[in-house]
Amino acid sequence: MWYRASSMVAASPRREARIYGRFIAIVVLSSMLGGCAGANFNAQTATAAKVETTLPAPSISDISREQADYRIGPLDKLTVTVFGVSDLTTNGQVDGSGTFSMPLIGQIPAMGSTTNELARKIEAALAGRYLQNPQVSVTVTEAVGQLVTVEGSVNKPGQYPVVGRTTLIRVVAIAGGTSDLASLREAIIFRTVGGQRLVARYNIKDIRGARAEDPEIFGNDLVVVGESAGRKLFKDLLSVAPLAGIFYQVAK
């Protein structure tokens, strides 16, 4: 049978010392390996992308975006609010051809417009014939055309829509936060700018501690959160030999 050291047959002092010595050695080793940041990313061997310390913002030709103004794309979901006329408030989706359907005015071109530009188009279509002085606002509720891919040591890896201005920390939070095996010193962002693939490493721990800026994330970015070698080793060792052999067999 298997008993703890505190069971009916007690372990000898020498055996207890050996058991706890192994346990402490594993903890120390895991801590040492966990401190080795960048185990998965090496700037010297990153030949598939140009390594940068920070990444520039992509141009409109890179992700159909101009500065901070999002350009509406096909299949994006929108909410159009006409102030004072609740019957005209519309929740809908841009169709494959890039048009959006509104009550009274029908189909209106939306693809390539910012939310402000589309609001002005709708106001112009409503003015005079239907309303005296229409005031319209447009909100992108789901940007299907602009996705960020989050991979690696996060709890919910996958693709997520980029709506408005967002940052690395926010994207990691959307992906369920970092996993138990994550290396907070290693968040890699891949981005294509001007047709060139770029990559940069960021430190989530420093960002959380206000020691580094939280970089902005754009559509088509790839975010990879690294894995801590020390934490993985510790987990593997415990799964093979629980508590480093504190359980032992005692003859009845």
Side-chain angles (χ1 to χ4, degrees):
M1 298 182 65
W2 294 89
Y3 294 94
R4 288 182 181 273
S6 60
S7 64
M8 292 177 64
V9 181
S12 67
R14 180 180 297 179
R15 181 155 191 154
E16 284 189 358
R18 185 167 65 251
I19 290 169
Y20 287 107
R22 290 176 186 171
F23 181 70
I24 292 171
I26 290 175
V27 172
V28 172
L29 179 60
S30 299
S31 299
M32 291 173 63
L33 290 175
C36 298
N40 301 319
F41 175 78
N42 188 331
Q44 303 301 319
T45 59
T47 58
K50 183 182 178 184
V51 179
E52 303 281 359
T53 54
T54 59
L55 295 178
S59 66
I60 188 172
S61 61
D62 294 317
I63 59 166
S64 301
R65 175 179 181 148
E66 183 178 21
Q67 297 177 359
D69 294 324
Y70 175 73
R71 299 281 170 174
I72 297 169
L75 306 183
D76 283 355
K77 295 181 180 180
L78 310 177
T79 295
V80 177
T81 302
V82 181
F83 294 100
V85 189
S86 58
D87 290 344
L88 292 180
T89 295
T90 305
N91 295 299
Q93 187 173 35
V94 180
D95 65 22
S97 64
T99 61
F100 186 79
S101 180
M102 281 284 299
L104 299 181
I105 60 179
Q107 300 294 111
I108 189 166
M111 184 173 67
S113 299
T114 65
T115 54
N116 284 336
E117 289 170 350
L118 180 57
R120 302 295 84 77
K121 289 180 185 180
I122 296 172
E123 287 175 351
L126 291 172
R129 185 176 178 182
Y130 300 107
L131 298 175
Q132 189 69 26
N133 184 29
Q135 297 182 33
V136 176
S137 71
V138 176
T139 303
V140 178
T141 56
E142 184 175 331
V144 176
Q146 301 297 327
L147 298 173
V148 58
T149 301
V150 189
E151 200 264 343
S153 297
V154 291
N155 290 313
K156 296 179 181 179
Q159 290 188 313
Y160 296 92
V162 177
V163 180
R165 179 182 173 87
T166 193
T167 64
L168 173 60
I169 294 297
R170 290 175 181 174
V171 163
V172 170
I174 291 171
T178 55
S179 71
D180 292 339
L181 300 180
S183 172
L184 300 183
R185 295 180 175 86
E186 187 178 313
I188 313 300
I189 300 177
F190 291 88
R191 179 176 300 159
T192 299
V193 178
Q196 184 176 31
R197 191 68 164 163
L198 305 178
V199 60
R201 180 168 61 196
Y202 296 88
N203 189 319
I204 294 177
K205 193 172 183 178
D206 283 349
I207 296 171
R208 288 175 175 173
R211 295 183 295 274
E213 293 292 329
D214 189 7
E216 186 172 1
I217 296 296
F218 297 88
N220 294 344
D221 280 356
L222 168 62
V223 177
V224 181
V225 178
E227 184 180 81
S228 169
R231 291 181 180 182
K232 186 175 187 304
L233 174 63
F234 188 59
K235 181 179 179 180
D236 290 345
L237 287 173
L238 290 183
S239 66
V240 174
L243 296 182
I246 289 179
F247 291 92
Y248 60 93
Q249 190 172 24
V250 177
K252 210 170 181 183

